[in-house]
Amino acid sequence: MHLLVIDPGYAHQNSHHHEVNGELARYLGPRGWTIHIAASARIDSVTQQRRENDNVKISPHFETSCYRDNIDALDPETHNQLSACFSDELVAIMRNLPNDATILLHTGFSPHFKGLADALARSGKRVNWTVIVLGMFSPYGEGDSGQTPSIEPLRYRHALTSLEHLNRARSFHFCFAVPCHLYQRLYAPLCHGHMPPIHPAVNYRPYKPVTQETKRQRILAFLGCPKADKGIEFAAQF
């Protein structure tokens, strides 16, 4: 069994990309999966060489950035260029994928969704792939209320609709999932009224209640990457 993780934002260890990919490798590797993580072309050497087990391969690949300033307000030409570049990079990987591979895009925006749909359409063959896409971010850009006037929701709807059509035409298995109930409500209108499922937290740890022996328990709230502007100092002082 083969898992391709599409992760253009994976460039260093101080990120959720590293945590998610590491948990996937730790869980699937011992169960006979081979995991290929296609990361940013700018991934640092330390991160690239760190592997959870022998079944994991991390390769620098994507020149297309995962994050851009004001990505939800890109003009149509720039948005299409970004999607086209991402599609080209995906096609290069998909040529060598086994017929029963699983493809996972766990962090991306509308240009990446569209680029994935275009790459699958260009593959030109019927495959038995499983394609999993996660809605990590709000489809309404900066505002999570769904009231922000933006073309971005239409871009997500177009990409998701294309993936659904390809699912039926090419016979691969497609799943779109979101991380919380709020995003279920935001994405449902873009999925033709179908409520997308909530995916489990990949690094979930069951909560252990306080026992008489410990009497108290500290809980660490993760506030983001360990960067100066992410609240780490505040968390340490608190």
Side-chain angles (χ1 to χ4, degrees), residues 21-43:
N21 295 335
E23 288 292 336
L24 289 169
R26 281 188 287 273
Y27 182 82
L28 295 176
R31 288 164 173 79
W33 286 70
T34 58
I35 301 109
H36 176 199
I37 302 170
S40 167
R42 290 167 288 282
I43 189 170

Side-chain angles (χ1 to χ4, degrees), residues 29 96 110 163 196:
N96 300 318
S110 63
L163 288 166

Side-chain angles (χ1 to χ4, degrees), residues 14-232:
N14 300 324
S15 66
H16 79 274
H17 300 267
H18 186 70
E19 292 300 321
V20 171
N21 295 335
E23 288 292 336
L24 289 169
R26 281 188 287 273
Y27 182 82
L28 295 176
R31 288 164 173 79
W33 286 70
T34 58
I35 301 109
H36 176 199
I37 302 170
S40 167
R42 290 167 288 282
I43 189 170
D44 63 55
S45 58
V46 174
T47 305
Q48 184 182 347
Q49 292 168 9
R50 180 179 176 181
R51 300 186 302 170
E52 301 301 332
N53 53 64
D54 291 337
N55 291 346
V56 181
K57 173 186 176 184
I58 303 173
S59 61
H61 184 76
F62 292 104
E63 292 289 349
T64 305
S65 174
C66 182
Y67 304 103
R68 288 190 53 149
D69 293 337
N70 302 317
I71 196 166
D72 54 310
L74 293 177
D75 62 89
E77 182 178 357
T78 303
H79 188 277
N80 288 335
Q81 288 176 349
L82 192 61
S83 298
C85 290
F86 191 58
S87 177
D88 289 342
E89 292 173 324
L90 286 173
V91 167
I93 301 178
M94 290 177 178
R95 289 195 186 103
N96 300 318
L97 275 183
N99 190 54
D100 59 348
T102 296
I103 300 172
L104 171 63
L105 174 62
H106 63 66
T107 306
F109 294 87
S110 63
H112 307 102
F113 285 25
K114 183 178 185 298
L116 175 59
D118 292 345
L120 290 168
R122 292 166 60 188
S123 69
K125 59 181 179 180
R126 297 177 67 87
V127 291
N128 197 34
W129 293 338
T130 296
V131 180
I132 304 171
V133 177
L134 306 184
M136 174 71 75
F137 304 103
S138 167
Y140 293 89
E142 293 297 327
D144 283 349
S145 65
Q147 304 301 316
T148 307
S150 170
I151 194 175
E152 193 68 356
L154 299 179
R155 289 169 170 166
Y156 276 101
R157 181 182 179 118
H158 175 75
L160 291 171
T161 300
S162 297
L163 288 166
E164 286 285 1
H165 286 324
L166 285 166
N167 178 28
R168 292 189 290 270
R170 297 286 170 80
S171 298
F172 63 79
H173 310 284
F174 172 62
C175 175
F176 174 68
V178 294
C180 60
H181 290 290
L182 171 61
Y183 282 15
Q184 264 191 326
R185 296 193 296 272
L186 293 182
Y187 276 100
L190 313 181
C191 299
H192 304 285
H194 300 299
M195 199 72 78
I198 295 177
H199 64 77
V202 72
N203 58 345
Y204 172 73
R205 296 289 184 273
Y207 174 74
K208 296 180 180 178
V210 178
T211 64
Q212 284 298 108
E213 289 75 21
T214 59
K215 304 226 171 167
R216 64 190 295 246
Q217 185 174 22
R218 292 185 176 184
I219 298 175
L220 173 64
F222 181 64
L223 301 181
C225 302
K227 297 179 182 178
D229 60 345
K230 291 292 186 178
I232 298 299

